[in-house]
Amino acid sequence: MLRDRRLSGEDLSRIDERIRSDWSVEDIDFEEAIAYHESLPASKEFASVLEDADRPLLQPRAGVPRLDDQIALLGHLEDAGRADLLPTTIDSYTRDNEYEKAQQGLEEARESGEDTLNGFPAVNHGVEGCRELIEALDTPIEVRHGTPDARLLAAVTFAGGFQSFEGGPVSYNIPYTKGHDLAETIEHWQYVDRLAGAYTERGVTINREPFGPLTGTLVPPAIAIAVGLVEGMLAATQGVRSITLGYGQVGNLVQDIAALRALKSLGEEYLPNEATVTTVFHEWMGGFPPDEARANGVIALGAATAAIAEPDKVITKSPQEFGGVPTKEANAAGLRTTKQLIDMMREQDINLDGVEREREFIEESTRSLMDTILQLGDEDVARGVVEAFDTGKIDVPFAPSDSAESAVLPARDDDGRVRILQFGNLALDPDLKDVHTDRLDRRARAENRDRSFQMVADDVDAISEGRLIGRPGGEGA
Amino acid sequence: MLRDRRLSGEDLSRIDERIRSDWSVEDIDFEEAIAYHESLPASKEFASVLEDADRPLLQPRAGVPRLDDQIALLGHLEDAGRADLLPTTIDSYTRDNEYEKAQQGLEEARESGEDTLNGFPAVNHGVEGCRELIEALDTPIEVRHGTPDARLLAAVTFAGGFQSFEGGPVSYNIPYTKGHDLAETIEHWQYVDRLAGAYTERGVTINREPFGPLTGTLVPPAIAIAVGLVEGMLAATQGVRSITLGYGQVGNLVQDIAALRALKSLGEEYLPNEATVTTVFHEWMGGFPPDEARANGVIALGAATAAIAEPDKVITKSPQEFGGVPTKEANAAGLRTTKQLIDMMREQDINLDGVEREREFIEESTRSLMDTILQLGDEDVARGVVEAFDTGKIDVPFAPSDSAESAVLPARDDDGRVRILQFGNLALDPDLKDVHTDRLDRRARAENRDRSFQMVADDVDAISEGRLIGRPGGEGA
Amino acid sequence: MEVLSAMSATVILGVIGSDAHAVGITILEQALSTAGFEVVNLGVQSSQQEFISAAQAHEGDAVLVSSLYGHAEQDCRGFHEAIEEADIDPITYIGGNLAVGQDDFEETRDCFREMGFDRVFDSETKPTEAIAALKADMNIAESEAERARLTT
Amino acid sequence: MEVLSAMSATVILGVIGSDAHAVGITILEQALSTAGFEVVNLGVQSSQQEFISAAQAHEGDAVLVSSLYGHAEQDCRGFHEAIEEADIDPITYIGGNLAVGQDDFEETRDCFREMGFDRVFDSETKPTEAIAALKADMNIAESEAERARLTT
Ligand code: B12
Ligand code: B12
């Protein structure tokens, strides 16, 4: 039965063998891998570079199928983009554990020179391929993916020299897949986290980063934060000691700053002291404007928010987000636009009215959700979160997964803050719910219409159409 | 002798004849010109479009020598840039009243197809040319230039259908030329303003806009505002009734918002009730980064400032500002980036700590300068301002003009606000001076160096190098 | 073709392949239902076979395939052959972000038209455009206003 | 050429034509003075004749022409011919934003080199680069560090 407790050494090796049967990879020698990590310079130690920084570090998203292309791409982001941390984004077939298809795609890419995969198939590149990548660049690199069952990916990339790994059982299931059972996904991630813990115990800290933005689309902060806390707690149980909690920009300055503050303080409250908690802010993860100039405006608002809230890391977007995978130049441009704004604003003392009140509201809401989860699991967070999703007591808007109710519907209030229009079974205290309803009523009155799904649809489109709030009357309004 | 009093009808026609001898232009029939303006649709009435707007209107800068090119350029900014108001920027020869050279340049441009002038020579295009331009576009158009003696330019462009005219005797002298005598320039602008007043009295409101940014480079807000007030008062005396006071972004959010608020309230205080006061905010007018991505960051900070402060108009920059005159695409991109940010932020209720305090400081400082000016002129603002510049009691940093002392040197304090490092003879109350000195001392201590010209030089370069404050250690710091 | 009322028209909607982008179809589903269509939403990560079975089971008049993540071409290979084999003849649309990288949409459109899709939509498509297209293709009476919007 | 000390080298500095951009030369003046040069700053809107007269009057070793506003080419036509006529032979530099519009700097550089300028600087030039160039061209002893910076 699923329990939030640390996997044993035997568990680990048993699973190790099982996952290796999915796809033949060379044998991984843990001791040799530790030695390899130890041979890397301090400047490639992801956790310490991140934790010791005195300003928000910038990291883009990027992944192409071929190794040499990936090296060139990351090199460009390092040089022209001045990225502080680098990513390697994994392709969709690998995320589905379809290593055979990924192999095909990789070979097609090698032959035709065209990228038929949407990311870097790290398992197919194997430990050696990963190490070549790590060695070719000066900056620490994180694995970013969206894989519900990331066990083989973790085994290969950890041995391959990566020291940071995004995702978690909730955040890489609920927004990323349809059919995966949540309890099973948690078990799979217990392996990933335990493996990270095993490296950590040997002095090779593997940084773990729950994927904060979830579906990227109007996710109410308390929901995102609760999921991050759950994943952080699960990871800590397995011995992870460097945890970066994430949050995706919603576009309201006060709410975003408040959410980042709440994320940090709740992280420190809920996660054990042995774990070092850092935060990451994702520039707007929802639909982008189909226009690079306007996209730069969206990116800049994210950068301005980061400059004020000062998270430990910022994940940048490119002005080509709308159109498809960006060119390396556009990707580097997104980094530089962000950097310019952060560096111009960071030293300014900027305090906004209302941040504290919103932070308290977010913290109370998150606690309300966390109480439910822990209660449902009888203080076992693993069982609690499964039960909570099962009953819709915790829920994510626009979630494609069968493991979530997906009954929660968000909409913006009259100030542009994301509130909840339909709660489904979401286990939020009634007085907290009233705040949401009240705020949305106020907006509905201001717009002279009913609270309705149309509001949600309008808000989903608003930023790509050039506004924050989807007022009736469209673009010109 | 120079006096701030309204020119008579005879003055006007006497000057009219004199300036026409500089360059042969067709005879201007005032009655016919009034009738022409009356024939224009309400959507081209600059003053009412600006004054009635319920959000900051966006206006770019743009001027090319040939009429058809200028029409195409402005059409692009209207369509692709969604500009709310349009400019026509005049070339440098016209600014020098070198109409012969401008004619040559225009003809070269017509023959070679290359732009050998840096703007639109409106006097050479004549009343008919201007009217063709006005008719070809849907949006009101302002004349923007930098001409100390703009009498002929005003006569031609007002008759040509333009209803807004930038500049003033101080703001188009001190930052724009070396040798022009300030008293003479004021006389020349009395004509311009009186002509605007004459149109206004006949129901054709000509909007006048003092050039707020001055030298564009670390201008302390109180100096910029005082100059704007002086020019506004001079214009009002001549019957101008629509006055747009300007201010150029310095890059510190609190200081910029405070300055825009001070500009508005002081404008209403100092200018007569009959005049409608609006405000315009210029995106950063100093040196830009030599990189479009980073330039977008600078533009975005301006847009964010405008979204919070809500001036009536925003003059946008393009990401190509550093390199030279921008392409029309880049110019339109600057508009759209700005618009996206303003439209995303405008509905948010954003209040920053410290704005009120900084606003009070700016207002007190401005009053201190205005008191001196009015005292020196025995309550005559025209004579007062000449005397004040003559003695350096009012001064502009980096001013190229022999009419200014140019002894004032600005530098940023530890929060990035522009303060005064060297006062010269600037007539600021001693306790206000102490604030500046104190803040800069604090910064000097933080940087472990003396207050010195090096600080000024570092601050001048800082934004183009990717920071706000020119800390020692350069880019990486 | 007979004139249908939207009420009787059934639309099969889903995201193909291993793509999990759910927001677009959530918006589309709601808009299509409101417009009077019978919508069967398969959700994300639906296989070709799931689309075909649903079209058979529900007598789908139209099959709307969504794809955002850049693998549409691979995921749709053989789809129209399979439809033909299943002996059904629904209208087929595909929409979303159909190519990896910054592609020229005209090329992309041609590619999917050749594969057999009746219409190909880019990711700037608003639900109203899809509805207008469906009504036109199904010969459903529509207002002047909608027709005007479609032809622009 | 004899080895000079910066102290004895006189530099004529100004902005040519009707250009009024003053910030750059203000910074340059200060940096050149600090580096030990004797600087004669003509200010903005200086004519060719003013540069030449100043070079004669002050025995200028170098003439530094600045232009930002895009008319440099017109403003400098005939400048070197006039210098020759005046029978002086200063080192001549030009720097700033030398062409109207978004030009390729290499072309711009060639154009001004052909007109007779010894060195052409773009608007990314830092004062230290100008100083290093002057020292090299005037054969003034300079530190290793400066030399390294110049040659990169
Ligand atoms: C939100 C988002 C996500 C969320 C999705 C959450 C969820 N489950 O829904 C998350 C963060 C999980 C995510 C993940 C990924 N994403 Co994503 N994502 C986006 C983003 C930012 C917005 C998409 C969206 O919701 N738009 C809003 C809705 C309303 O619009 P829409 O989906 O376009 O749908 C409208 C129209 O397209 C049209 N339409 C859509 N389908 C159809 C079909 C028909 C028949 C018709 C008529 C119309 C139609 O109508 C809809 C309603 O108006 C886009 C970029 C963008 N567009 O700005 C990238 C984007 C689509 N994602 C992309 C990628 C690569 C991925 C990942 C592979 C990335 C990764 N590296 O992690 C994974 C894929 C995971 C998976 N298995 O699918 C790429 C696709 C690249 C390409 N095609 O070349 C994009 C373009 C981003 C980019 N520039 O790289 N993503
Ligand atoms: C501030 C500014 C102004 C201020 C100037 C105030 C003043 N009196 O100084 C104001 C607002 C008044 C102004 C007016 C105009 N400006 Co202006 N201005 C600028 C801006 C934003 C910054 C210039 C600056 O001060 N930079 C900071 C200083 C420190 O750098 P710098 O001047 O480049 O100088 C450094 C180097 O270039 C180098 N250097 C310079 N000269 C030399 C010479 C030598 C020999 C050497 C070795 C080195 C060297 O060293 C300096 C120190 O590091 C630039 C764009 C930009 N660069 O971002 C436009 C810019 C120069 N301006 C421009 C224009 C067109 C004008 C106007 C004609 C505009 C108008 N339409 O109103 C008028 C001209 C008026 C006139 N008669 O000259 C254009 C020029 C276009 C072109 N060359 O193709 C620019 C590039 C803006 C643009 N993209 O359109 N401007």
Side-chain angles (χ1 to χ4, degrees):
Chain A
M1 195 192 65
L2 180 67
R3 291 284 303 279
D4 175 33
R5 56 130 221 260
R6 188 174 289 198
L7 301 191
S8 67
E10 298 90 78
D11 290 342
L12 210 55
S13 19
R14 186 174 35 79
I15 301 169
D16 233 33
E17 299 226 324
R18 192 175 332 129
I19 56 170
R20 227 76 71 61
S21 68
D22 288 356
W23 179 253
S24 75
V25 289
E26 67 262 65
D27 261 1
I28 293 170
D29 177 343
F30 184 67
E31 293 302 325
E32 188 274 342
I34 295 286
Y36 178 73
H37 279 275
E38 284 170 346
S39 77
L40 294 173
S43 59
K44 293 190 188 180
E45 284 170 13
F46 202 102
S48 55
V49 168
L50 177 63
E51 290 161 8
D52 297 346
D54 57 357
R55 58 180 176 84
L57 299 186
L58 304 193
Q59 180 178 316
R61 290 189 172 75
V64 287
R66 298 188 309 172
L67 179 60
D68 48 353
D69 290 344
Q70 180 69 1
I71 292 174
L73 173 56
L74 295 189
H76 183 83
L77 297 172
E78 208 172 49
D79 298 341
R82 306 217 252 139
D84 300 300
L85 297 168
L86 290 170
T88 285
T89 304
I90 306 302
D91 70 293
S92 285
Y93 288 129
T94 303
R95 297 166 185 222
D96 292 342
N97 310 112
E98 303 247 37
Y99 308 109
E100 185 57 53
K101 284 196 189 169
Q103 188 65 32
Q104 252 174 41
L106 178 58
E107 276 156 23
E108 274 180 44
R110 280 176 180 153
E111 279 154 30
S112 69
E114 274 182 52
D115 288 351
T116 47
L117 294 179
N118 59 7
F120 182 83
V123 171
N124 301 76
H125 285 293
V127 173
E128 283 317 309
C130 291
R131 289 183 180 180
E132 265 186 66
L133 183 63
I134 298 287
E135 285 159 28
L137 294 140
D138 294 328
T139 310
I141 314 180
E142 176 178 40
V143 183
R144 309 186 63 84
H145 45 123
T147 316
D149 177 2
R151 294 174 298 173
L152 187 57
L153 182 64
V156 171
T157 54
F158 292 178
F162 287 91
Q163 292 187 5
S164 179
F165 200 78
E166 200 195 35
V170 179
S171 65
Y172 269 6
N173 173 337
I174 304 299
Y176 275 96
T177 67
K178 181 156 78 173
H180 285 81
D181 178 67
L182 183 57
E184 194 178 86
T185 316
I186 294 178
E187 280 176 8
H188 292 163
W189 279 85
Q190 285 178 325
Y191 168 86
V192 172
D193 286 329
R194 184 67 206 105
L195 197 58
Y199 277 91
T200 302
E201 280 143 30
R202 291 294 301 276
V204 178
T205 308
I206 305 274
N207 169 263
R208 287 272 300 107
E209 179 185 329
F211 177 63
L214 301 175
T215 50
T217 308
L218 307 179
V219 179
I223 291 179
I225 296 174
V227 168
L229 295 177
V230 166
E231 294 191 340
M233 289 164 77
L234 291 169
T237 301
Q238 303 302 328
V240 171
R241 292 295 169 257
S242 174
I243 297 172
T244 306
L245 297 176
Y247 170 77
Q249 179 190 8
V250 305
N252 176 285
L253 203 55
V254 169
Q255 191 174 33
D256 281 330
I257 296 167
L260 280 165
R261 303 234 163 108
L263 183 68
K264 179 83 182 178
S265 66
L266 291 168
E268 274 162 1
E269 180 182 328
Y270 277 86
L271 302 191
N273 281 339
E274 311 86 75
T276 303
V277 177
T278 46
T279 57
V280 54
F281 178 63
H282 297 247
E283 290 178 345
W284 176 244
M285 290 290 293
F288 255 71
D291 166 17
E292 296 192 20
R294 295 203 287 120
N296 280 322
V298 178
I299 289 171
L301 181 53
T305 308
I308 302 174
E310 298 205 69
D312 299 289
K313 182 166 93 173
V314 180
I315 300 196
T316 60
K317 283 262 164 151
S318 97
Q320 294 181 340
E321 174 66 16
F322 177 87
V325 176
T327 62
K328 64 181 191 306
E329 289 79 15
N331 212 335
L335 279 160
R336 294 201 306 276
T337 299
T338 302
K339 187 167 169 56
Q340 178 78 26
L341 257 166
I342 293 186
D343 286 350
M344 284 177 68
M345 290 180 72
R346 200 163 46 88
E347 294 187 280
Q348 300 182 33
D349 197 20
I350 300 174
N351 293 299
L352 276 76
D353 282 3
V355 167
E356 273 312 286
R357 227 177 55 198
E358 188 67 34
R359 184 179 65 78
E360 276 163 29
F361 180 67
I362 294 170
E363 290 194 3
E364 271 181 66
S365 305
T366 309
R367 282 207 187 83
S368 176
L369 296 173
M370 290 303 290
D371 287 351
T372 307
I373 290 170
L374 292 171
Q375 244 166 15
L376 286 173
D378 241 339
E379 299 306 307
D380 183 299
V381 68
R383 284 161 54 203
V385 73
V386 171
E387 186 64 22
F389 268 105
D390 216 39
T391 53
K393 291 188 174 172
I394 182 149
D395 196 6
V396 174
F398 306 109
S401 172
D402 291 342
S403 293
E405 285 272 294
S406 213
V408 162
L409 278 181
R412 293 190 187 275
D413 69 16
D414 218 37
D415 192 54
R417 302 186 197 183
V418 172
R419 306 293 181 198
I420 301 173
L421 180 77
Q422 272 173 34
F423 297 93
N425 293 325
L426 195 74
L428 214 52
D429 286 347
D431 51 332
L432 296 170
K433 283 188 181 172
D434 288 349
V435 175
H436 292 268
T437 307
D438 194 66
R439 295 294 167 87
L440 291 177
D441 271 341
R442 233 186 278 175
R443 165 171 171 198
R445 275 198 306 278
E447 291 176 0
N448 212 352
R449 60 168 165 171
D450 290 335
R451 294 190 283 122
S452 73
F453 186 84
Q454 192 53 48
M455 236 180 216
V456 182
D458 292 344
D459 284 351
V460 164
D461 280 349
I463 284 184
S464 68
E465 285 179 358
R467 306 165 295 151
L468 184 67
I469 307 173
R471 308 276 192 204
E475 277 193 61
Chain B
M1 196 192 64
L2 180 68
R3 289 285 303 280
D4 176 32
R5 58 132 217 258
R6 187 173 292 197
L7 300 191
S8 68
E10 298 91 78
D11 290 341
L12 210 54
S13 14
R14 187 175 34 81
I15 301 169
D16 234 33
E17 299 227 323
R18 191 175 334 131
I19 57 171
R20 225 77 70 64
S21 66
D22 289 353
W23 179 251
S24 77
V25 290
E26 68 265 65
D27 261 1
I28 293 170
D29 177 342
F30 183 67
E31 292 302 325
E32 188 274 343
I34 295 286
Y36 178 73
H37 278 277
E38 284 170 348
S39 77
L40 294 174
S43 59
K44 295 190 188 180
E45 285 170 12
F46 202 102
S48 56
V49 168
L50 176 61
E51 290 162 7
D52 297 348
D54 57 357
R55 59 181 175 84
L57 299 186
L58 304 194
Q59 180 178 317
R61 290 190 171 75
V64 287
R66 297 190 311 172
L67 179 60
D68 48 354
D69 289 344
Q70 179 70 358
I71 292 174
L73 173 56
L74 295 188
H76 183 82
L77 297 172
E78 207 173 50
D79 297 340
R82 306 217 254 138
D84 299 301
L85 297 168
L86 290 171
T88 285
T89 303
I90 306 302
D91 70 291
S92 284
Y93 288 129
T94 302
R95 297 165 183 221
D96 292 343
N97 310 112
E98 304 248 37
Y99 307 109
E100 186 56 54
K101 283 196 190 170
Q103 187 66 31
Q104 250 175 40
L106 178 59
E107 276 157 24
E108 273 181 44
R110 280 177 180 151
E111 278 155 32
S112 70
E114 272 181 55
D115 289 351
T116 46
L117 294 178
N118 60 6
F120 183 81
V123 171
N124 302 75
H125 284 294
V127 173
E128 283 318 308
C130 291
R131 289 185 180 179
E132 263 186 68
L133 182 64
I134 298 287
E135 284 159 30
L137 292 141
D138 294 329
T139 310
I141 313 180
E142 177 179 42
V143 183
R144 307 186 65 81
H145 44 125
T147 315
D149 176 2
R151 293 174 300 172
L152 186 57
L153 181 65
V156 170
T157 54
F158 292 179
F162 286 91
Q163 292 186 5
S164 179
F165 200 78
E166 200 195 36
V170 180
S171 66
Y172 269 7
N173 174 338
I174 304 299
Y176 275 97
T177 67
K178 181 156 78 174
H180 284 81
D181 177 68
L182 183 57
E184 192 178 88
T185 317
I186 294 179
E187 280 177 10
H188 292 163
W189 280 86
Q190 284 179 325
Y191 168 87
V192 172
D193 285 330
R194 182 69 206 105
L195 196 58
Y199 275 92
T200 302
E201 278 143 32
R202 292 294 302 275
V204 178
T205 308
I206 305 275
N207 169 263
R208 287 272 298 106
E209 181 186 329
F211 177 64
L214 302 176
T215 49
T217 308
L218 307 180
V219 180
I223 292 178
I225 296 174
V227 169
L229 294 177
V230 166
E231 294 190 341
M233 289 164 76
L234 292 169
T237 301
Q238 304 301 330
V240 171
R241 292 294 168 260
S242 176
I243 297 172
T244 306
L245 297 177
Y247 170 77
Q249 179 189 7
V250 305
N252 176 286
L253 203 55
V254 169
Q255 190 174 33
D256 281 330
I257 296 166
L260 279 165
R261 301 234 165 108
L263 183 67
K264 178 84 181 179
S265 67
L266 290 169
E268 274 162 2
E269 181 183 324
Y270 278 86
L271 302 191
N273 282 339
E274 312 87 75
T276 304
V277 177
T278 46
T279 56
V280 54
F281 178 64
H282 297 248
E283 290 178 346
W284 175 245
M285 290 291 292
F288 255 70
D291 165 17
E292 295 192 21
R294 295 202 287 121
N296 280 321
V298 178
I299 289 172
L301 180 54
T305 308
I308 301 174
E310 299 205 68
D312 299 289
K313 183 165 91 173
V314 179
I315 300 195
T316 59
K317 282 263 162 147
S318 98
Q320 294 180 341
E321 174 66 13
F322 177 86
V325 175
T327 62
K328 64 181 193 304
E329 290 77 15
N331 211 336
L335 280 160
R336 296 202 305 277
T337 299
T338 302
K339 187 167 169 55
Q340 178 78 25
L341 256 166
I342 293 187
D343 287 350
M344 283 176 71
M345 289 181 72
R346 198 163 46 89
E347 294 187 280
Q348 299 181 34
D349 199 19
I350 300 175
N351 293 299
L352 276 75
D353 283 3
V355 167
E356 273 314 287
R357 226 176 55 197
E358 187 68 33
R359 184 178 67 76
E360 276 163 29
F361 179 68
I362 294 170
E363 290 192 4
E364 269 180 70
S365 305
T366 310
R367 281 208 188 83
S368 175
L369 297 174
M370 291 303 290
D371 286 351
T372 306
I373 291 171
L374 292 171
Q375 245 167 12
L376 287 173
D378 240 338
E379 298 306 308
D380 184 300
V381 69
R383 283 164 50 203
V385 74
V386 171
E387 186 64 22
F389 267 104
D390 217 38
T391 53
K393 292 189 173 170
I394 180 150
D395 195 6
V396 173
F398 306 107
S401 173
D402 291 342
S403 292
E405 285 274 294
S406 214
V408 162
L409 278 181
R412 294 188 186 276
D413 70 16
D414 217 37
D415 193 54
R417 301 186 198 182
V418 171
R419 306 293 181 197
I420 301 174
L421 179 77
Q422 272 174 34
F423 296 95
N425 293 324
L426 195 74
L428 215 50
D429 285 346
D431 50 334
L432 296 170
K433 282 188 182 173
D434 287 348
V435 176
H436 291 269
T437 307
D438 192 66
R439 294 296 166 86
L440 292 177
D441 270 341
R442 234 185 278 174
R443 167 173 169 197
R445 273 197 305 277
E447 292 176 359
N448 211 352
R449 60 168 166 173
D450 290 336
R451 295 190 283 123
S452 73
F453 186 84
Q454 192 53 47
M455 237 180 213
V456 181
D458 292 344
D459 284 352
V460 164
D461 279 349
I463 286 185
S464 69
E465 285 179 358
R467 308 165 294 153
L468 184 66
I469 308 174
R471 306 277 192 204
E475 277 194 61
Chain C
M1 207 198 248
E2 81 210 282
V3 176
L4 288 169
S5 101
M7 291 309 295
S8 63
T10 300
V11 173
I12 314 296
L13 177 66
V15 181
I16 203 163
S18 52
D19 190 341
H21 288 89
V23 184
I25 56 161
T26 308
I27 304 289
L28 279 172
E29 174 186 10
Q30 199 81 23
L32 289 168
S33 307
T34 307
F37 291 93
E38 202 62 54
V39 186
V40 180
N41 187 348
L42 304 174
V44 305
Q45 301 188 326
S46 300
S47 65
Q48 293 189 3
Q49 195 45 56
E50 285 171 280
F51 278 97
I52 292 170
S53 305
Q56 286 175 319
H58 302 276
E59 294 178 23
D61 302 292
V63 171
L64 268 57
V65 177
S66 177
S67 175
L68 269 291
Y69 74 156
H71 285 200
E73 197 187 328
Q74 290 105 303
D75 292 338
C76 292
R77 274 182 206 150
F79 187 41
H80 283 83
E81 292 70 10
I83 289 178
E84 211 163 302
E85 238 158 69
D87 214 24
I88 50 174
D89 185 25
I91 295 166
T92 59
Y93 292 176
I94 187 162
N97 210 318
L98 301 174
V100 183
Q102 303 289 324
D103 275 49
D104 172 33
F105 183 68
E106 285 316 308
E107 272 176 38
T108 305
R109 185 199 300 274
D110 290 348
C111 161
F112 286 92
R113 292 274 296 150
E114 256 166 52
M115 289 173 78
F117 286 97
D118 294 311
R119 290 187 192 251
V120 184
F121 296 87
D122 66 13
S123 54
E124 291 192 51
T125 308
K126 295 274 151 272
T128 48
E129 294 169 54
I131 291 167
L134 280 171
K135 288 188 175 170
D137 291 349
M138 291 179 175
N139 215 6
I140 295 172
E142 48 162 346
S143 73
E144 281 302 304
E146 278 164 335
R147 201 183 302 275
R149 208 180 298 128
L150 176 63
T151 51
T152 53
Chain D
M1 207 195 246
E2 79 210 285
V3 177
L4 288 169
S5 100
M7 290 310 292
S8 63
T10 299
V11 173
I12 314 296
L13 177 65
V15 181
I16 202 162
S18 53
D19 190 340
H21 287 90
V23 184
I25 54 160
T26 308
I27 304 289
L28 279 172
E29 175 186 7
Q30 199 81 23
L32 289 168
S33 308
T34 307
F37 291 94
E38 201 61 53
V39 186
V40 179
N41 188 348
L42 305 174
V44 306
Q45 300 187 328
S46 301
S47 65
Q48 293 189 2
Q49 195 45 56
E50 286 171 278
F51 278 96
I52 292 171
S53 306
Q56 287 175 318
H58 302 276
E59 293 179 26
D61 302 292
V63 170
L64 268 57
V65 177
S66 177
S67 175
L68 269 291
Y69 75 154
H71 286 202
E73 197 187 328
Q74 289 106 304
D75 293 337
C76 293
R77 274 184 205 149
F79 187 40
H80 283 84
E81 291 72 10
I83 288 179
E84 212 163 304
E85 240 157 69
D87 214 26
I88 49 174
D89 185 27
I91 294 166
T92 60
Y93 292 175
I94 187 163
N97 209 318
L98 301 175
V100 183
Q102 303 290 321
D103 275 49
D104 173 32
F105 183 68
E106 285 316 309
E107 273 176 40
T108 304
R109 185 200 301 272
D110 289 348
C111 162
F112 286 92
R113 292 274 295 148
E114 256 166 54
M115 289 172 78
F117 285 97
D118 294 311
R119 291 190 191 247
V120 184
F121 295 87
D122 66 14
S123 53
E124 291 192 51
T125 309
K126 296 275 152 271
T128 47
E129 295 169 55
I131 292 168
L134 281 172
K135 289 188 175 170
D137 292 350
M138 292 180 175
N139 215 8
I140 296 173
E142 49 164 343
S143 73
E144 281 302 303
E146 277 165 336
R147 201 183 302 274
R149 208 181 295 127
L150 177 63
T151 53
T152 55

